């Protein structure tokens, strides 16, 4: 889950989590730079730029992960996969960004093919549909991007905490902004004043084994998880950590990706 900044003609996306993946993905950085160069050349020559290479998937199994989508489009050059969520729950839809428009044509040939026992619809969509989905994910997780939302200042820390207070809680919290070198004992120590299920602390990793800077922690109850939100914005090492209410489904998908 890639990108940062505002909406532009280059393949840019929003959200600090996606930015972190771009920084560690030289392939994506090369695609972005090439796209920007081609777009500038086309503008100078009066040539219309190609459409943004994104498709939308609908009817996905509810246990679907981004790895399943990579396998579904095996052989194609995928830049980003965004599983669409509403209030933290997977909707059965996803957006897939490819390296170029030719890849999109190949991807569309997968329309109505099966993933597991369900057939999946694959169809074109607009760049803005993808950006809106990214923005919805960003807003749910409590990130406010000035470039995307205009010149108005981001909500204060108090307002953000108030928003989190109003969210529906389960026994699971999501941690973001962790040092990439963090280990499970450091997370257990971070929550030493709260009752967590130690064997249900999961540090999220990408398919290549590198840490994403996120983790999922299960507590003995939803009430205890909500109480542990007092640790929001506190530090591990030199980095402050953001906490968000999560769901068993989101934690399971992250764990599934890490096992691949």
């Amino acid at each position: 889950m890639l990108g940062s900044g505002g909406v532009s003609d280059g393949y840019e996306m929003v959200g600090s989590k996606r930015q972190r993946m771009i920084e560690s993905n030289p392939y994506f950085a090369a695609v972005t730079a090439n796209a920007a160069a081609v777009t500038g050349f086309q503008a100078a020559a009066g040539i219309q730029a190609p459409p943004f290479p994104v498709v939308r998937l609908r009817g996905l199994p509810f246990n679907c992960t981004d790895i399943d989508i990579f396998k579904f489009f095996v052989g194609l050059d995928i830049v980003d996969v965004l599983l669409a969520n509403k209030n933290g729950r997977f909707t059965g839809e996803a957006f897939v960004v490819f390296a170029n428009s030719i890849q999109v044509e190949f991807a569309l040939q997968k329309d109505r093919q099966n993933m597991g026992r369900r057939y999946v619809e694959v169809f074109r969509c607009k760049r803005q549909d993808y950006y809106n989905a990214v923005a919805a994910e960003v807003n749910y997780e409590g990130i406010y991007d000035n470039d995307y939302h205009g010149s108005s200042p981001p909500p204060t820390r108090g307002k953000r905490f108030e928003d989190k207070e109003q969210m529906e809680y389960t026994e699971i919290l999501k941690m973001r902004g962790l040092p990439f070198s963090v280990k499970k004992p450091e997370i257990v120590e971070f929550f030493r004043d709260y009752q967590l299920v130690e064997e249900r602390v999961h540090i999220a990793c990408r398919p290549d084994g590198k840490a994403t800077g996120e983790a999922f922690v299960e507590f003995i109850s939803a009430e205890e998880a909500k109480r542990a939100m007092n640790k929001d914005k506190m530090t591990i090492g030199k980095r402050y950590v953001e906490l968000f209410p999560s769901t068993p489904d989101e934690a399971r998908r992250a764990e599934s990706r890490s096992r691949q």
Side-chain angles (χ1 to χ4, degrees):
M1 297 196 134
L2 302 169
S4 178
V7 177
S8 76
D9 288 335
Y11 298 165
E12 296 180 9
M13 305 162 203
V14 263
S16 61
K17 175 175 67 173
R18 311 179 88 74
Q19 176 63 33
R20 195 172 290 161
M21 288 189 67
I22 286 179
E23 290 169 351
S24 58
N25 189 334
Y27 170 73
F28 183 84
V31 170
T32 306
N34 290 341
V38 170
T39 301
F41 172 79
Q42 289 169 331
I47 303 172
Q48 185 175 0
F52 187 71
V54 60
V55 299
R56 187 170 185 170
L57 280 61
R58 187 159 53 204
L60 293 164
F62 282 95
N63 62 350
C64 176
T65 69
D66 51 0
I67 299 300
D68 295 318
I69 293 176
F70 273 90
K71 290 178 179 177
F72 185 72
F73 289 120
V74 63
L76 299 184
D77 294 330
I78 294 176
V79 171
D80 184 36
V81 172
L82 172 63
L83 299 173
N85 291 277
K86 184 174 182 180
N87 297 327
R89 298 184 183 277
F90 181 46
T91 64
E93 297 192 358
F95 295 83
V96 183
V97 180
F98 293 93
N100 53 56
S101 298
I102 295 174
Q103 300 289 316
V104 169
E105 299 303 323
F106 287 117
L108 292 171
Q109 295 177 22
K110 300 285 287 184
D111 183 38
R112 305 277 174 168
Q113 293 192 22
N114 276 45
M115 181 183 292
R117 296 182 178 181
R118 302 189 63 168
Y119 75 83
V120 177
E121 295 179 77
V122 182
F123 53 96
R124 298 180 191 275
C125 69
K126 296 178 180 179
R127 177 206 314 258
Q128 192 60 47
D129 295 334
Y130 168 72
Y131 284 134
N132 289 343
V134 175
E137 178 191 15
V138 167
N139 284 338
Y140 175 76
E141 292 181 345
I143 303 174
Y144 298 86
D145 187 289
N146 287 338
D147 291 334
Y148 187 83
H149 290 289
S151 59
S152 58
T156 64
R157 176 178 173 177
K159 176 63 166 62
R160 293 188 195 183
F161 187 79
E162 181 182 317
D163 290 341
K164 292 177 183 179
E165 280 280 293
Q166 294 171 356
M167 289 181 180
E168 181 180 348
Y169 278 77
T170 70
E171 66 277 13
I172 296 172
L173 290 184
K174 177 179 180 178
M175 307 177 73
R176 189 174 56 213
L178 291 165
F180 291 120
S181 60
V182 74
K183 304 298 181 187
K184 182 175 174 180
E186 295 173 82
I187 293 175
V188 173
E189 173 63 19
F190 183 73
F191 289 114
R192 65 182 180 275
D193 297 327
Y194 305 91
Q195 294 180 286
L196 54 76
V197 183
E198 193 165 333
E199 61 271 21
R200 296 298 301 156
V201 174
H202 172 68
I203 298 173
C205 295
R206 288 165 29 194
D208 62 7
K210 294 181 179 179
T212 65
E214 297 182 345
F216 293 83
V217 181
E218 183 173 326
F219 295 84
I220 62 167
S221 67
E223 291 74 19
E224 187 69 359
K226 189 171 184 178
R227 198 171 73 87
M229 283 293 293
N230 288 322
K231 298 287 289 184
D232 189 30
K233 306 288 185 180
M234 294 192 180
T235 58
I236 290 182
K238 294 182 179 180
R239 303 194 63 169
Y240 76 85
V241 178
E242 292 184 278
L243 303 179
F244 303 93
S246 185
T247 64
D249 185 54
E250 185 182 18
R252 178 189 52 75
R253 291 203 305 270
E255 193 167 352
S256 174
R257 287 195 296 271
S258 299
R259 285 198 300 265
Q260 299 298 320

